[in-house]
């Protein structure tokens, strides 16, 4: 197992170990794995995706950030939820983008997380996308929680369709890393057979 988590394997190509369960790469990505021996703090079960997404969006906004997307899927065959979240960069301008898979079971969960922060240049992606779609088409109501206020605004500049235009943007890098690493993750069989998470 890796760093006392149920994760038994994952592709760490390009990453260098920094401390137990934490790796970084030359592009500024930080990869980490976590285990929480507690009932997951998800707002709803994976079997109630609308309430789950709405709760995740409200939780991110309440913490001052913004949920970009929440997608249901699986990690090594176990149901999971993938989140992409943006938060203000601590003690500086710009944003940090976090992508994670949460694999919940009835009494515990394991999380795979990738994050990257904007550097000295910020807002370029947003400005260029807004120039293409216009201000009226840029900001949207949150699709998971219409009427949501607070936190960072929801806008089309974070959509995946723009990633090819901004290959070095931290959001693009986080998405690509998750997409590459997720299929390589293996979980301990003892974790996989635990009862599923219910609320």
């Amino acid at each position: 197992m890796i760093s006392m988590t149920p994760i038994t394997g994952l592709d760490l190509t390009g990453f260098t170990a920094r401390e137990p369960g934490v790796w970084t790469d030359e592009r500024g990505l930080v990869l980490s794995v976590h285990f929480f021996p507690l009932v997951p703090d998800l707002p709803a079960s994976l079997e109630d995706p609308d309430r789950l997404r709405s709760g995740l969006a409200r939780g991110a906004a309440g913490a001052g950030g913004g949920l970009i997307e929440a997608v249901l899927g699986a990690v090594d065959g176990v149901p999971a939820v993938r989140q992409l979240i943006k938060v203000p960069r601590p003690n500086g301008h710009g944003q940090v983008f976090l992508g994670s898979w949460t694999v919940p079971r009835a009494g515990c969960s394991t999380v795979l997380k990738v994050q990257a922060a904007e550097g000295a240049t910020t807002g370029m992606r947003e400005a260029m996308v807004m120039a293409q779609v216009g201000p009226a088409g840029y900001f949207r109501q949150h699709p998971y929680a219409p009427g949501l206020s607070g936190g960072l605004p929801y806008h089309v500049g974070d959509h995946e369709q723009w990633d090819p235009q901004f290959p070095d943007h931290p959001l693009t890098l986080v998405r690509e890393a998750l997409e590459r690493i997720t299929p390589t993750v293996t979980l301990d069989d003892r974790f996989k057979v635990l009862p599923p998470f219910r609320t």
Side-chain angles (χ1 to χ4, degrees):
M1 293 189 288
I2 298 177
S3 296
M4 304 303 292
T5 73
I7 297 173
T8 56
L10 73 163
D11 183 2
L12 294 170
T13 301
F15 284 91
T16 301
R18 295 302 179 197
E19 57 185 84
V22 180
W23 303 263
T24 59
D25 79 352
E26 60 184 12
R27 299 175 300 174
L29 285 169
V30 180
L31 168 66
S32 57
V33 295
H34 310 267
F35 176 67
F36 302 100
L38 305 165
V39 175
D41 63 354
L42 294 174
S45 77
L46 305 186
E47 297 174 349
D48 191 355
D50 290 342
R51 192 158 66 92
L52 175 63
R53 291 188 181 106
S54 175
L56 291 173
R58 296 181 189 282
L67 178 66
I68 297 170
E69 63 183 43
V71 177
L72 300 183
V75 175
D76 194 18
V78 182
V81 58
R82 187 193 75 188
Q83 297 181 68
L84 286 173
I85 294 175
K86 54 185 178 181
V87 298
R89 187 173 183 176
N91 305 318
H93 65 292
Q95 300 175 125
V96 179
F97 295 88
L98 305 98
S100 66
W101 277 105
T102 299
V103 190
R105 307 312 277 158
C108 62
S109 63
T110 193
V111 174
L112 170 73
K113 183 169 70 173
V114 180
Q115 66 183 66
E118 288 185 305
T121 302
T122 64
M124 183 70 71
R125 176 175 176 145
E126 290 82 356
M128 293 181 68
V129 173
M130 184 182 288
Q132 293 183 58
V133 304
Y138 185 75
F139 292 103
R140 305 278 180 88
Q141 288 216 63
H142 203 291
Y144 305 148
L148 178 67
S149 61
L152 296 175
Y154 182 87
H155 59 72
V156 300
D158 292 330
H159 290 184
E160 188 172 5
Q161 72 187 77
W162 304 106
D163 287 358
Q165 290 189 37
F166 307 96
D168 298 319
H169 190 274
L171 177 56
T172 302
L173 298 178
V174 166
R175 274 201 182 98
E176 288 180 345
L178 272 185
E179 185 174 348
R180 177 181 68 81
I181 294 168
T182 302
T184 74
V185 176
T186 55
L187 298 170
D188 190 289
D189 287 339
R190 292 169 293 181
F191 177 80
K192 295 172 74 171
V193 299
L194 291 173
F197 170 63
R198 300 277 193 268
T199 55

